[in-house]
Amino acid sequence: VAPAIGPAARTAAAEAARAAREEAALMRAWGVGPGELERMPFDQRARLAERLRTGRLAQWAELIGRFRQMAGGERARKVENATGELVGVTLGDDLSRVIPSELAGLGVPELRAVFAARYAAGELMLYDSQGEQSTGQGAVIACVDTSHSMYEAGPGGVTREAWAKACALALLDQARHAGRDFVGILFSAADKLQVFRFPAGGPAGIDRVLEFAETFLGGGTSYQRPLSAACELLEEEFNDAARRRGDIVMLTDDDCGVTEEWMRGWMDAKHRLGFRVFGVAIGAPRVADPDSVLDALCDNLRSIEDLTDVHAAADLFRVI
């Protein structure tokens, strides 16, 4: 019996090493660094590892890790003034560079006079063609659609929800790297909304991050409720700390209407607070059509069809 102890011990040690490597890789994918792991009590670490292995989004840890790695690389790149790449947003009167959401105002009779006044004052929102754009000072807000259709899987079996949540977590990293607040807004129908705030000055606790990633509201889709909530948060930030130029990223797979009254208020707030809006239509190209509501709301809009491709949103991380 004795001679078998050596091989058995070696097998057990190899198995333990493999499990440790897998656990470390899983923790890294979710943004838990080695230092944080070392400070964590064993029982808490074991519970966290089990939650990460068995949670609803556990199977997409590799996708989340790739998103975060891609975003880290993009942060180092400068924005170039090249066709098809995002640039910043500035103010002026160059009608050739007016952003779509400003032009949308021309379709509403009540807003035409406002457009004319802004044009005369050189205060229309324009695409900035200067190349490199300084980082905004306000919060980064990810509005993530969690309506029933977000359960749908695309190529590689990746669900629309998983892609959207992975992108949002990479935006959380982006905000923390820049010393900016991050807010995750989960939305679906008009009566369903959940807000997760991650202030720049405090730690982004893994339990709170996981709660944000795992929460799914279900139901239909409403744009007004989450965008109004985002606007209120940026207004609050402006009033408390005089910060402008926040960034809102709308991640959705559905198109829905907004009222003219709401659109007028939205445009006024956008002009006053100077925030930018980036749209991502996930697995539903029609949502990004030129005449869609999302197109009218966003300064920049793209459609994502291959949900295994994290680089399809790479330009976001060069300007946010």
Side-chain angles (χ1 to χ4, degrees):
V1 176
I5 294 176
R10 284 195 296 273
T11 299
E15 177 63 23
R18 182 191 62 76
R21 286 194 300 272
E22 288 181 357
E23 178 185 289
L26 191 60
M27 296 288 187
R28 278 197 306 274
W30 284 96
V32 183
E36 189 176 352
L37 275 182
E38 290 172 3
R39 294 189 299 271
M40 199 177 289
F42 177 79
D43 287 351
Q44 181 184 353
R45 178 171 171 168
R47 286 195 302 272
L48 174 58
E50 181 63 16
R51 184 177 180 183
L52 293 182
R53 280 194 295 268
T54 60
R56 206 164 53 78
L57 291 181
Q59 58 185 314
W60 308 125
E62 188 265 343
L63 175 71
I64 292 166
R66 284 195 291 120
F67 241 110
R68 286 182 141 146
Q69 185 177 21
M70 175 275 293
E74 293 300 328
R75 274 195 289 273
R77 294 186 56 179
K78 293 182 179 180
V79 176
E80 298 175 358
N81 186 21
T83 302
E85 281 201 314
L86 275 176
V87 291
V89 176
T90 187
L91 298 179
D93 59 2
D94 184 349
L95 294 177
S96 69
R97 295 191 285 123
V98 175
I99 65 175
S101 57
E102 285 278 34
L103 289 175
L106 291 175
V108 182
E110 295 87 344
L111 293 182
R112 288 171 188 161
V114 176
F115 182 94
R118 288 179 185 168
Y119 173 63
E123 293 183 346
L124 292 176
M125 298 187 76
L126 315 174
Y127 285 121
D128 188 353
S129 61
Q130 296 304 308
E132 188 172 350
Q133 173 71 18
S134 60
T135 301
Q137 297 301 306
V140 177
I141 302 179
C143 296
V144 182
D145 187 348
T146 60
S147 59
H148 281 312
S149 58
M150 291 291 284
Y151 270 134
E152 189 170 327
V158 179
T159 64
R160 296 171 179 181
E161 179 203 9
W163 195 98
K165 295 281 183 64
C167 185
L169 291 174
L171 288 167
L172 167 59
D173 290 347
Q174 191 85 349
R176 300 194 74 75
H177 181 82
R180 301 169 66 184
D181 291 350
F182 175 81
V183 182
I185 298 179
L186 304 180
F187 71 94
S188 58
D191 62 340
K192 294 185 178 182
L193 190 84
Q194 196 158 344
V195 178
F196 295 80
R197 304 182 73 160
F198 297 88
I206 183 62
D207 287 339
R208 187 68 170 160
V209 169
L210 287 175
E211 185 182 359
F212 168 62
E214 292 176 337
T215 298
F216 192 88
L217 303 177
T221 304
S222 167
Y223 284 178
Q224 290 186 193
R225 180 87 189 279
L227 290 175
S228 292
C231 192
E232 288 168 8
L233 288 164
L234 293 175
E235 183 91 55
E236 175 187 314
E237 188 177 48
F238 174 72
N239 292 335
D240 292 347
R243 292 194 193 123
R244 296 177 81 248
R245 295 191 64 250
D247 291 310
I248 299 173
V249 182
M250 187 75 164
L251 300 145
T252 183
D253 70 342
D254 200 5
D255 200 25
C256 65
V258 297
T259 66
E260 287 189 13
E261 180 182 4
W262 182 89
M263 189 69 170
R264 285 195 293 272
W266 168 260
M267 295 300 292
D268 287 343
K270 194 169 187 294
H271 183 257
R272 184 176 68 257
L273 301 173
F275 58 80
R276 303 179 293 181
V277 185
F278 303 98
V280 186
I282 305 170
R286 61 176 176 74
V287 177
D289 285 347
D291 60 348
S292 68
V293 174
L294 193 61
D295 181 64
L297 291 170
C298 296
D299 304 316
N300 183 277
L301 175 62
R302 84 286 320 284
S303 176
I304 307 297
E305 295 184 59
D306 181 358
L307 302 187
T308 64
D309 183 10
V310 301
H311 293 279
D315 54 344
L316 278 176
F317 297 92
R318 290 179 223 138
V319 293
I320 291 179

